[in-house]
CSV table of all heavy atoms in Angstrom, one decimal:
chain,number,residue,atom,x,y,z
A,35,TYR,N,11.8,6.8,-11.1
A,35,TYR,CA,12.4,8.1,-11.3
A,35,TYR,C,12.4,8.5,-12.8
A,35,TYR,O,12.2,9.7,-13.1
A,35,TYR,CB,13.9,8.2,-10.8
A,35,TYR,CG,14.9,7.4,-11.6
A,35,TYR,CD1,15.5,7.8,-12.7
A,35,TYR,CD2,15.2,6.1,-11.2
A,35,TYR,CE1,16.4,7.1,-13.5
A,35,TYR,CE2,16.1,5.3,-11.9
A,35,TYR,CZ,16.7,5.8,-13.0
A,35,TYR,OH,17.6,5.1,-13.7
A,36,GLU,N,12.4,7.6,-13.7
A,36,GLU,CA,12.3,7.9,-15.1
A,36,GLU,C,10.8,8.2,-15.5
A,36,GLU,O,10.6,9.1,-16.3
A,36,GLU,CB,12.8,6.7,-15.9
A,36,GLU,CG,12.9,7.0,-17.4
A,36,GLU,CD,13.5,5.8,-18.2
A,36,GLU,OE1,14.3,5.1,-17.7
A,36,GLU,OE2,13.1,5.7,-19.4
A,37,ALA,N,9.9,7.4,-15.0
A,37,ALA,CA,8.5,7.6,-15.3
A,37,ALA,C,8.0,9.0,-14.9
A,37,ALA,O,7.2,9.6,-15.5
A,37,ALA,CB,7.6,6.5,-14.6
A,38,PHE,N,8.6,9.5,-13.7
A,38,PHE,CA,8.1,10.7,-13.2
A,38,PHE,C,9.0,11.9,-13.6
A,38,PHE,O,8.8,13.0,-13.2
A,38,PHE,CB,8.1,10.7,-11.7
A,38,PHE,CG,7.2,9.6,-11.2
A,38,PHE,CD1,7.5,8.9,-10.0
A,38,PHE,CD2,6.0,9.3,-11.8
A,38,PHE,CE1,6.6,7.9,-9.6
A,38,PHE,CE2,5.2,8.3,-11.4
A,38,PHE,CZ,5.5,7.6,-10.2
A,39,ALA,N,10.0,11.7,-14.5
A,39,ALA,CA,10.9,12.7,-15.0
A,39,ALA,C,10.1,13.7,-15.8
A,39,ALA,O,9.0,13.4,-16.4
A,39,ALA,CB,12.0,12.1,-15.9
A,40,GLU,N,10.6,14.9,-15.9
A,40,GLU,CA,9.9,16.1,-16.6
A,40,GLU,C,9.6,15.7,-18.0
A,40,GLU,O,8.6,16.0,-18.5
A,40,GLU,CB,10.8,17.3,-16.5
A,40,GLU,CG,10.2,18.5,-17.1
A,40,GLU,CD,9.1,19.1,-16.3
A,40,GLU,OE1,9.0,18.9,-15.1
A,40,GLU,OE2,8.2,19.7,-16.9
A,41,ARG,N,10.5,15.0,-18.7
A,41,ARG,CA,10.4,14.7,-20.1
A,41,ARG,C,9.2,13.8,-20.4
A,41,ARG,O,8.7,13.7,-21.5
A,41,ARG,CB,11.6,14.1,-20.7
A,41,ARG,CG,12.0,12.8,-20.2
A,41,ARG,CD,13.3,12.2,-20.8
A,41,ARG,NE,13.7,11.0,-20.2
A,41,ARG,CZ,14.4,10.9,-19.1
A,41,ARG,NH1,14.7,11.9,-18.4
A,41,ARG,NH2,14.7,9.7,-18.6
A,42,ASN,N,8.7,13.1,-19.3
A,42,ASN,CA,7.6,12.2,-19.5
A,42,ASN,C,6.3,12.8,-18.9
A,42,ASN,O,5.2,12.2,-19.0
A,42,ASN,CB,7.9,10.9,-18.8
A,42,ASN,CG,8.9,10.1,-19.5
A,42,ASN,OD1,9.0,10.1,-20.7
A,42,ASN,ND2,9.8,9.4,-18.8
A,43,SER,N,6.3,14.0,-18.4
A,43,SER,CA,5.1,14.6,-17.8
A,43,SER,C,4.0,14.8,-18.7
A,43,SER,O,2.8,14.8,-18.3
A,43,SER,CB,5.5,15.9,-17.1
A,43,SER,OG,5.9,16.9,-18.0
A,44,GLU,N,4.2,15.0,-20.0
A,44,GLU,CA,3.1,15.3,-20.9
A,44,GLU,C,2.6,14.0,-21.6
A,44,GLU,O,1.6,14.1,-22.3
A,44,GLU,CB,3.6,16.2,-22.0
A,44,GLU,CG,4.1,17.6,-21.5
A,44,GLU,CD,2.9,18.4,-20.9
A,44,GLU,OE1,1.8,18.4,-21.4
A,44,GLU,OE2,3.2,19.0,-19.8
A,45,LYS,N,3.2,12.9,-21.4
A,45,LYS,CA,2.8,11.7,-22.0
A,45,LYS,C,1.5,11.1,-21.3
A,45,LYS,O,1.3,11.3,-20.1
A,45,LYS,CB,3.9,10.6,-21.9
A,45,LYS,CG,5.1,10.9,-22.7
A,45,LYS,CD,6.1,9.8,-22.7
A,45,LYS,CE,7.3,10.2,-23.5
A,45,LYS,NZ,8.3,9.1,-23.5
A,46,GLU,N,0.7,10.5,-22.1
A,46,GLU,CA,-0.5,9.9,-21.6
A,46,GLU,C,-0.3,8.4,-21.3
A,46,GLU,O,-0.6,7.5,-22.1
A,46,GLU,CB,-1.6,10.0,-22.7
A,46,GLU,CG,-2.1,11.4,-22.9
A,46,GLU,CD,-3.2,11.5,-24.0
A,46,GLU,OE1,-4.1,10.7,-23.9
A,46,GLU,OE2,-3.1,12.4,-24.8
A,47,MET,N,0.4,8.1,-20.2
A,47,MET,CA,0.7,6.8,-19.9
A,47,MET,C,-0.3,6.2,-19.0
A,47,MET,O,-0.8,6.8,-18.1
A,47,MET,CB,2.1,6.7,-19.2
A,47,MET,CG,3.2,7.1,-20.1
A,47,MET,SD,4.8,6.7,-19.5
A,47,MET,CE,5.1,8.0,-18.3
A,48,THR,N,-0.6,4.9,-19.2
A,48,THR,CA,-1.5,4.1,-18.4
A,48,THR,C,-0.7,3.1,-17.7
A,48,THR,O,0.0,2.3,-18.3
A,48,THR,CB,-2.6,3.4,-19.3
A,48,THR,OG1,-3.3,4.4,-20.0
A,48,THR,CG2,-3.5,2.6,-18.4
A,49,LEU,N,-0.7,3.1,-16.4
A,49,LEU,CA,0.0,2.1,-15.6
A,49,LEU,C,-0.7,0.8,-15.6
A,49,LEU,O,-1.9,0.7,-15.2
A,49,LEU,CB,0.1,2.6,-14.1
A,49,LEU,CG,0.9,1.7,-13.1
A,49,LEU,CD1,2.3,1.6,-13.5
A,49,LEU,CD2,0.8,2.3,-11.7
A,50,ILE,N,0.0,-0.3,-16.0
A,50,ILE,CA,-0.6,-1.6,-16.0
A,50,ILE,C,0.1,-2.6,-15.1
A,50,ILE,O,-0.4,-3.7,-14.9
A,50,ILE,CB,-0.7,-2.2,-17.5
A,50,ILE,CG1,0.7,-2.4,-18.1
A,50,ILE,CG2,-1.5,-1.3,-18.3
A,50,ILE,CD1,0.7,-3.2,-19.4
A,51,GLY,N,1.2,-2.2,-14.6
A,51,GLY,CA,1.9,-3.2,-13.7
A,51,GLY,C,3.0,-2.5,-12.8
A,51,GLY,O,3.6,-1.5,-13.2
A,52,VAL,N,3.2,-3.0,-11.6
A,52,VAL,CA,4.3,-2.5,-10.7
A,52,VAL,C,5.1,-3.7,-10.2
A,52,VAL,O,4.5,-4.7,-9.9
A,52,VAL,CB,3.6,-1.8,-9.5
A,52,VAL,CG1,4.7,-1.3,-8.5
A,52,VAL,CG2,2.8,-0.6,-10.0
A,53,ALA,N,6.4,-3.6,-10.3
A,53,ALA,CA,7.2,-4.8,-9.9
A,53,ALA,C,8.5,-4.3,-9.1
A,53,ALA,O,8.9,-3.1,-9.3
A,53,ALA,CB,7.6,-5.6,-11.1
Side-chain angles (χ1 to χ4, degrees):
Y35 70 84
E36 186 176 331
F38 303 143
E40 183 69 30
R41 68 181 174 276
N42 290 322
S43 64
E44 298 297 318
K45 293 184 179 180
E46 294 181 43
M47 292 192 283
T48 301
L49 179 64
I50 64 168
V52 178

